[in-house]
Each structure stands twice: as structure tokens, then as C-alpha cells.
Amino acid sequence: MLELFVSSFVTFFVVIDPPGCAPIFAGLTAGATAAHRRAMAVRAVIVSAVILLVFALVGEPLLHGLGIELASFRIAGGIMLFLIALEMVFEKRTQRREDRAAKVQATSEVEDVSIFPMAMPMIAGPGSIATVMLLMARNNGIERSLVVFGALLANLVLMLVALLAAGPLMRVVGAKIEAVVTRILGVLLAALAVQFVIDGVMEQLH
């Protein structure tokens, strides 16, 4: 069982990638209060956990029943992430927040990114959904399934810790450096989005 836990943990860690998601989350939530950032981090992890749990239990028959393939998830998620990346690079998110704040005369509150794009498709994306479905299919029985769930839970806890730590680290570096880092992360997120689309198209072609 220990070998199964270790292999499942490593697989989930590579696919979910807590260290990679953390700086993107920090860039998306630039300007948020500490309380709002914490709330979004907790909500993102909880929602992604629910999504992955549902797909682990009933994912394959659900997708087949709806006539949806994971390749379609990759392509759709990639397109949506690319739009978010463009806004990060050209600071459209900041401009839109300021315009909205001026119209409603409200405080400058950061958009809630916990559901999209953090929970879906960054954390509970096509890769992690396919991984949890595959591991559950390979490991029948209550004990082995619980080990897989334990490995998934451990990675989600790591994700929460990484998201909570990313905000304070970004605030320490200062506003100007944070703006530069946000643009760089936007470019990286755009590349990741394009890779999602390419993977989906290649999977469909094969």
C-alpha cells in the first residue's frame, strides 16, 4: 500500500503541480486583501476536490453519457486560459476592475478567481481528471481506492499551502516587480493554454 501511495502521490503532484499553480494564483489575485486571497485559495481547493472526487467516482460513465471526451476538455480549457493570460499580460483585468469600481463607486475588489480558472481548469483540469479516473480504474477495492484518495488529498493540502504562501511572497517583492512577474506569468500561462489545445487536438487526431 505504501508503494501505491507513493506512486499515486508523485503522479498527482506532477499533474496538479502545486508549485506551478501558486505564482499564477498570486498574479491573478494581485491587489486582493489578505482575507479575500485566503478565501479564494480555500474555495479553489475545496471546489477542485469536489470536482476530482465526482470524476473519480462517476467520471467515465458521466462523460460517456454526455458524449464528451477529455480532449474536448483540454481544448475548451486551453482557450479560456489563453484569454485569461492575455488579460494578465496587457493588464486588462486591472483596467476592467478600475472601470467597474468607478461606475459603482465601490472599493477596488479583485475578481473571484477561485472557481475559474483556479479550481477548473488549473487544479481540477483535464490532466488531473484523467489521472484520477485512470488510477481509480486501475485500483479496485475499498482499501486501494482509499490510498489513491489519500494521495490526492495530500496533494490538495500542499496546493492550499502553496496558494496561501504565494500572496505574502508577492507582496514582499513590491508592486513594480509584482507587475513584471504577473506579465511573465501571463506569458507562461498562455504557453500552457496553447499546450492544452495542442494536446486536445493531437488526442482527437489519434
Side-chain angles (χ1 to χ4, degrees), residues 11-12 14 17 46 66 78 94 100 114 118 130 143 145 162 202:
T11 302
F12 281 128
V14 171
D17 190 18
I46 291 176
L66 295 175
T94 302
R100 185 172 63 247
S114 58
M118 289 309 304
E143 290 186 1
S145 297
M202 293 299 294

Side-chain angles (χ1 to χ4, degrees), residues 59-73 204:
E60 189 170 356
L62 176 62
L63 290 181
H64 285 182
L66 295 175
I68 299 174
E69 299 181 2
L70 281 175
S72 301
F73 268 45
Q204 286 282 30

Side-chain angles (χ1 to χ4, degrees), residues 1-152:
M1 290 297 178
L2 179 60
E3 182 179 352
L4 174 60
F5 177 84
V6 172
S7 62
S8 299
F9 177 86
V10 172
T11 302
F12 281 128
F13 186 84
V14 171
V15 174
I16 297 176
D17 190 18
C21 288
I24 293 176
F25 174 77
L28 290 172
T29 57
T33 63
H36 191 195
R37 196 189 296 264
R38 284 195 300 269
M40 285 190 286
V42 173
R43 192 179 301 115
V45 172
I46 291 176
V47 171
S48 60
V50 172
I51 293 173
L52 292 174
L53 179 61
V54 170
F55 276 98
L57 297 176
V58 296
E60 189 170 356
L62 176 62
L63 290 181
H64 285 182
L66 295 175
I68 299 174
E69 299 181 2
L70 281 175
S72 301
F73 268 45
R74 293 184 186 275
I75 296 173
I79 293 173
M80 290 185 291
L81 280 180
F82 189 78
L83 296 176
I84 293 291
L86 288 179
E87 292 187 337
M88 290 177 66
V89 172
F90 296 106
E91 290 192 334
K92 294 297 183 181
R93 295 175 62 85
T94 302
Q95 179 181 348
R96 190 172 63 248
R97 284 200 304 269
E98 292 174 350
D99 292 342
R100 185 172 63 247
K103 290 178 181 178
V104 300
Q105 295 181 346
T107 57
S108 179
E109 184 176 347
V110 174
E111 288 183 45
D112 191 337
V113 298
S114 58
I115 308 301
F116 173 81
M118 289 309 304
M120 182 78 175
M122 289 300 298
I123 303 176
S128 52
I129 289 174
T131 300
V132 73
M133 289 172 59
L134 179 60
L135 289 176
M136 290 299 294
R138 286 181 177 177
N139 296 280
N140 297 321
I142 296 178
E143 290 186 1
R144 297 183 68 85
S145 297
L146 289 177
V147 171
V148 174
F149 282 132
L152 175 61

